């Protein structure tokens, strides 16, 4: 155990021990996605308190627990992953029905979000038992928080989580075609050995802005935003950029150019950008046209990017 976590265990007890932790309940615990310091005090307390821990990989979880100075005998770690979740859930139910507290952790992040856990929780709820969330690290919300994905219209507010797209070329292309008209922000996940294929497939989105978030919270974390057509060349420039786990975020669709009014707004914005700093141009364009400032700012960024690419 790192000496820095010894005080964290003490703090966890002092901060969380007085709270109520019902017996016969499943505790769904988020764990760090890279940086060990991203564990919560309540998670540390619960991981010491529960009678057993169900986990995606027992060896990985044992190593994680030992990093924090938490020792668990192997019999208290239950393997529950995507290949055995339905059957392993029954073993968890047996413990819960006997009045035990059981935690569930995936290998990283929040269980049930593109990781096992959803079937387990459904089984627990179907049995009339409680599943309690312990929130924490998530690559999805982490990427979204730093992407600067601004909604351009009321319809583009919010986001859609699509997870991993199909690995086969034709199926992936169909999935992207289905997502293309989606006006909201779209979040995808991708593995390093498939990121280049995904980037090439996304090129059909042209100037739509895409944020790549690689190795979030880890030493070689990298976050960049590019037009869809530029993502594959950017990855190819440096092989290091193709390493690690990725969150790929499609920004909300820009202002429509399908009608005359929108074309006039864009023309005003282009003229102002040619003579003024971006923020000033956006402010004046909003005053002149009555268009929403956030939407104009997003469009101005895209216009600037297009000018740079040219």
């Amino acid at each position: 155990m790192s000496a820095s976590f010894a005080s964290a265990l003490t703090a966890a007890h002092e901060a969380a021990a007085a709270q109520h932790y019902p017996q016969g309940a499943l505790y769904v615990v988020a764990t760090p996605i890279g940086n060990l310091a991203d564990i919560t005090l309540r998670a540390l307390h619960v991981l010491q308190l529960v009678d057993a821990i169900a986990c995606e990989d027992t060896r990985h979880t044992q190593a994680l627990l030992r990093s924090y100075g938490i020792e668990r005998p192997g019999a208290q770690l239950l393997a529950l992953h995507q290949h055995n979740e339905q059957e392993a859930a029954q073993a968890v139910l047996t413990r819960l029905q006997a009045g035990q507290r059981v935690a569930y952790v995936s290998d990283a992040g929040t269980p049930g979000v593109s990781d096992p856990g959803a079937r387990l929780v459904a089984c627990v709820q179907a049995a009339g038992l409680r599943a309690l969330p312990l929130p924490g690290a998530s690559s999805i919300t982490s990427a979204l928080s730093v992407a600067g994905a601004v909604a351009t219209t009321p319809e583009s507010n919010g986001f859609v989580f699509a997870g991993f797209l199909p690995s086969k070329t034709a199926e992936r292309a169909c999935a992207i075609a289905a997502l293309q008209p989606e006006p909201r922000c779209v979040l995808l996940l991708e593995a390093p050995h498939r990121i280049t294929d995904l980037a090439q497939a996304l090129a059909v989105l042209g100037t739509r802005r895409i944020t790549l978030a690689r190795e979030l919270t880890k030493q070689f974390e990298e976050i960049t935003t590019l037009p869809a057509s530029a993502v594959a060349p950017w990855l190819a420039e440096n092989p290091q950029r193709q390493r690690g786990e990725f969150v790929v975020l499609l920004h909300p669709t820009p202002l429509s150019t399908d009608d005359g009014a929108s074309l006039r707004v864009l023309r005003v914005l282009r003229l102002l950008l040619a003579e003024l700093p971006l923020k000033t141009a956006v402010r004046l364009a909003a005053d002149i046209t009555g268009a929403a400032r956030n939407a104009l700012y997003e469009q101005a960024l895209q216009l600037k990017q297009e000018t740079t690419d040219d």
Side-chain angles (χ1 to χ4, degrees), residues 111-184:
V113 182
S114 201
D115 280 339
R119 287 189 177 89
L120 170 62
V121 170
C123 288
V124 169
Q125 293 174 339
L129 299 169
R130 295 181 67 182
L132 306 176
L134 272 72
S138 167
S139 62
I140 301 305
T141 53
S142 297
L144 189 60
S145 71
V146 294
V150 180
T152 56
T153 64
E155 294 74 25
S156 63
N157 194 36
F159 69 92
V160 176
F161 175 57
F164 288 91
L165 296 187
S167 58
K168 293 184 178 178
T169 302
E171 293 176 2
R172 182 171 52 238
C174 288
I176 291 172
L179 290 172
Q180 187 166 1
E182 171 57 60
R184 293 169 293 178

Side-chain angles (χ1 to χ4, degrees), residues 48-205:
Q48 296 175 88
L49 174 70
V50 293
D51 301 289
I53 300 173
C55 47
E56 190 173 359
D57 185 321
T58 56
R59 291 169 298 179
H60 176 90
T61 298
Q62 187 73 276
L64 178 70
L65 294 173
R66 286 174 176 162
S67 297
Y68 300 122
I70 301 173
E71 287 293 337
R72 285 279 182 175
Q76 293 182 0
L77 297 181
L78 314 174
L80 190 150
H81 44 75
Q82 63 174 333
H83 303 297
N84 76 341
E85 188 170 356
Q86 197 69 40
E87 313 89 80
Q90 299 307 310
V92 173
L93 284 179
T94 298
R95 287 177 177 265
L96 296 179
Q97 289 163 342
Q100 292 188 14
R101 300 180 182 95
V102 179
Y104 181 68
V105 299
S106 59
D107 284 349
T110 303
V113 182
S114 201
D115 280 339
R119 287 189 177 89
L120 170 62
V121 170
C123 288
V124 169
Q125 293 174 339
L129 299 169
R130 295 181 67 182
L132 306 176
L134 272 72
S138 167
S139 62
I140 301 305
T141 53
S142 297
L144 189 60
S145 71
V146 294
V150 180
T152 56
T153 64
E155 294 74 25
S156 63
N157 194 36
F159 69 92
V160 176
F161 175 57
F164 288 91
L165 296 187
S167 58
K168 293 184 178 178
T169 302
E171 293 176 2
R172 182 171 52 238
C174 288
I176 291 172
L179 290 172
Q180 187 166 1
E182 171 57 60
R184 293 169 293 178
C185 180
V186 178
L187 289 109
L188 310 173
L189 299 177
E190 195 51 275
H193 65 281
R194 298 193 335 184
I195 188 60
T196 298
D197 291 338
L198 176 62
Q200 291 170 348
L202 289 172
V204 298
L205 301 182

Side-chain angles (χ1 to χ4, degrees), residues 10 19 86 125 200 221 223 237 258 295:
T10 301
Q19 300 172 27
Q86 197 69 40
Q125 293 174 339
Q200 291 170 348
E221 175 183 87
I223 302 166
E237 286 176 4
D258 292 339

